[in-house]
Amino acid sequence: MWKQFISKLPRKSSKYDNASNSPPNNPGNNAAACGNPIERTASGNGLPEGAAALKRLASSEFPSSVVAGIEPLISFKDVPNFEKQNVFLSKLNLCCIIFDFSDPNKDSVGKDLKRQTLIELVDYVSTDAPRFTDQMIAASCRMFAINLFRVFPPNHRANSLGGEAEEELVFDPAWSHLQLVYDLLLKVITSSSLDAKIGKKYVDQSFILSLLNLFDSEDPRERECLKTILHRIYGKFMVHRPFIRKSVSNIFYRFVFETEWHNGIAELLEVFGSVISGFALPLKEEHKIFLCRVLIPLHKPKKVGVYIQQLTYCISQFVDKEPKLASSVIRGLLKYWPVTNSQKEVMFLGELEEVLEATNMVEFQKCMVPLFRRIAFCLNSPHFQVILFF
């Protein structure tokens, strides 16, 4: 099997000369402030041996890829410094080969070779801190796009009537490769050798939008990686900040007013919690609109319990920065207050308590009457948890 896999890779007459003649033609990613690498699991995919018991083996569909002219098996330690760029490009090309993980025993040698190559790339970027040229960035972004950007199948839980406790985690069987690709992506983004002025040519809006679409992955490990990477991109590429805020707002709009299902709302809100804490004072009108038209309507969906903690933090950040927004927040909570869902009502009471702690008397008097009217209804609630809250 190993010979069969290697035979698919066309060889060159020289080991190093022109290890990759044709630069990739699909640029797409990269760069942001320093951050922690994605933690690698010891077993490669972070799953127990009984992974066969998972409800689904495949959670995505990858595009096909074609690789030409690579010499990937040489180690970085065995070549002089001036040849390491060619070896880097060759290894990136090898990693553009996509494997089918629906059968764990299929192409096992090829899968292991790609995994070892990805580990070498991560270690090289971490220890050698190479100066990223245009060709290296373009090749890296092409590899990231081929491996990461994929189509998720229809969510089998989107129309489910079961409760949140009945939902089971779904893990991507290709995680042993995906995790390393995300780790390399984070290393490249946070590298001090990556010039943001050069990187912004490849980390374009199309790449960022494709990255945001991955937040709908059912694998919580992938969403955790994406959360870290998006935060670093937002920090490094100031030119893309308005676009990121607008794109995330569109995801929230679609979730609230159309689908009411998205796997990554909590992670996106967690990223924006850090973003909001960095807003300068006085707040721009754009940010106030984001609070009133995006964050407050997020209380409407039935699945608000999944992300209520992150949502409460974001809203509290706004009230702390500008106390005059407190009355608008309280009126928004009253507008979407649950009438028949007692568990959701307890969540709203907890958030209301946090907002009131940061509310001054002037803003409190603006919404005092409807607020106490709602509290009176809560005191007459037939549900003991609502009454015990007081």
Side-chain angles (χ1 to χ4, degrees):
M1 178 62 72
W2 185 85
K3 292 182 178 179
Q4 180 181 358
F5 173 71
I6 297 299
S7 65
K8 296 179 181 179
L9 308 177
R11 297 291 187 132
K12 293 197 168 186
S13 56
S14 171
K15 277 190 175 180
Y16 313 126
D17 293 344
N18 300 322
S20 179
N21 285 340
S22 53
N25 53 10
N26 185 19
N29 174 339
N30 265 12
C34 292
N36 298 324
I38 298 169
E39 183 177 355
R40 209 175 301 162
T41 53
S43 60
N45 57 7
L47 297 179
E49 293 182 359
L54 293 175
K55 299 304 180 211
R56 275 178 291 164
L57 286 178
S59 62
S60 55
E61 299 175 6
F62 291 88
S64 59
S65 59
V66 178
V67 180
I70 58 178
E71 191 69 50
L73 303 180
I74 193 71
S75 173
F76 284 108
K77 298 178 181 179
D78 298 332
V79 297
N81 290 333
F82 66 89
E83 289 290 355
K84 287 184 177 181
Q85 178 179 336
N86 287 336
V87 176
F88 181 80
L89 295 173
S90 295
K91 291 182 182 292
L92 285 174
N93 281 332
L94 173 63
C95 293
C96 290
I97 299 175
I98 304 301
F99 293 93
D100 180 10
F101 280 84
S102 60
D103 182 0
N105 299 320
K106 184 179 179 182
D107 296 327
S108 57
V109 175
K111 292 175 183 176
D112 186 64
L113 175 60
K114 178 177 177 179
R115 175 175 169 77
Q116 294 302 320
T117 304
L118 285 168
I119 292 175
E120 287 186 51
L121 289 170
V122 172
D123 292 340
Y124 171 66
V125 174
S126 302
T127 58
D128 288 34
R131 185 182 63 84
F132 288 96
T133 64
D134 284 63
Q135 188 179 15
M136 292 173 69
I137 300 173
S140 299
C141 293
R142 175 176 176 267
M143 191 275 285
F144 296 144
I146 290 174
N147 280 273
L148 300 178
F149 300 161
R150 57 207 194 277
V151 179
F152 295 116
N155 197 306
H156 77 294
R157 298 178 295 185
N159 299 319
S160 173
L161 298 178
E164 294 172 9
E166 299 177 5
E167 297 174 359
E168 299 182 11
L169 297 177
V170 177
F171 298 103
D172 198 312
W175 184 245
S176 59
H177 285 181
L178 291 175
Q179 182 184 26
L180 290 167
V181 175
Y182 277 120
D183 201 351
L184 180 61
L185 172 56
L186 183 62
K187 292 287 187 183
V188 172
I189 288 175
T190 58
S191 174
S192 58
S193 303
L194 179 64
D195 189 349
K197 294 180 180 179
I198 299 177
K200 70 180 181 181
K201 295 189 295 184
Y202 305 96
V203 187
D204 55 6
Q205 294 183 356
S206 176
F207 184 89
I208 293 175
L209 195 60
S210 297
L211 200 68
L212 289 173
N213 290 336
L214 295 177
F215 273 90
D216 201 22
S217 169
E218 292 187 302
D219 194 326
R221 302 167 301 181
E222 182 167 18
R223 299 197 302 270
E224 191 69 20
C225 293
L226 287 164
K227 180 182 69 176
T228 303
I229 290 169
L230 178 62
H231 188 262
R232 303 310 178 197
I233 290 178
Y234 188 91
K236 192 160 191 173
F237 294 102
M238 296 183 64
V239 66
H240 290 317
R241 290 183 180 182
F243 176 78
I244 292 175
R245 292 196 297 266
K246 180 180 178 181
S247 299
V248 173
S249 296
N250 290 336
I251 292 176
F252 289 152
Y253 285 139
R254 196 176 305 114
F255 167 69
V256 173
F257 300 108
E258 295 181 14
T259 65
E260 287 201 4
W261 185 271
H262 192 284
N263 291 304
I265 299 299
E267 287 79 8
L268 288 170
L269 284 172
E270 190 167 344
V271 174
F272 265 70
S274 299
V275 170
I276 294 169
S277 65
F279 284 165
L281 294 177
L283 292 175
K284 296 180 180 179
E285 190 65 25
E286 170 200 350
H287 302 328
K288 296 179 183 179
I289 292 175
F290 177 76
L291 169 66
C292 297
R293 297 185 182 178
V294 179
L295 292 184
I296 292 179
L298 280 172
H299 293 86
K300 176 183 177 182
K302 298 177 181 178
K303 298 290 185 179
V304 64
V306 176
Y307 53 83
I308 186 65
Q309 182 178 356
Q310 293 84 356
L311 179 59
T312 300
Y313 179 77
C314 289
I315 289 179
S316 298
Q317 288 289 308
F318 271 106
V319 177
D320 289 341
K321 282 183 172 293
E322 193 158 322
K324 291 183 179 180
L325 295 173
S327 58
S328 299
V329 170
I330 293 174
R331 284 194 294 266
L333 284 172
L334 296 176
K335 176 181 179 181
Y336 294 105
W337 198 273
V339 178
T340 59
N341 190 332
S342 299
Q343 291 182 343
K344 190 175 179 181
E345 194 169 11
V346 172
M347 297 177 195
F348 273 51
L349 287 170
E351 182 175 356
L352 179 62
E353 182 180 16
E354 289 196 29
V355 173
L356 286 174
E357 288 178 356
T359 304
N360 57 43
M361 184 57 65
V362 175
E363 295 302 315
F364 176 74
Q365 290 176 346
K366 293 180 181 178
C367 56
M368 181 173 58
V369 174
L371 174 60
F372 280 113
R373 187 178 294 121
R374 173 51 58 189
I375 291 176
F377 279 113
C378 291
L379 290 172
N380 293 321
S381 172
H383 198 282
F384 75 97
Q385 287 184 336
V386 177
I387 298 176
L388 288 177
F389 189 88
F390 297 93

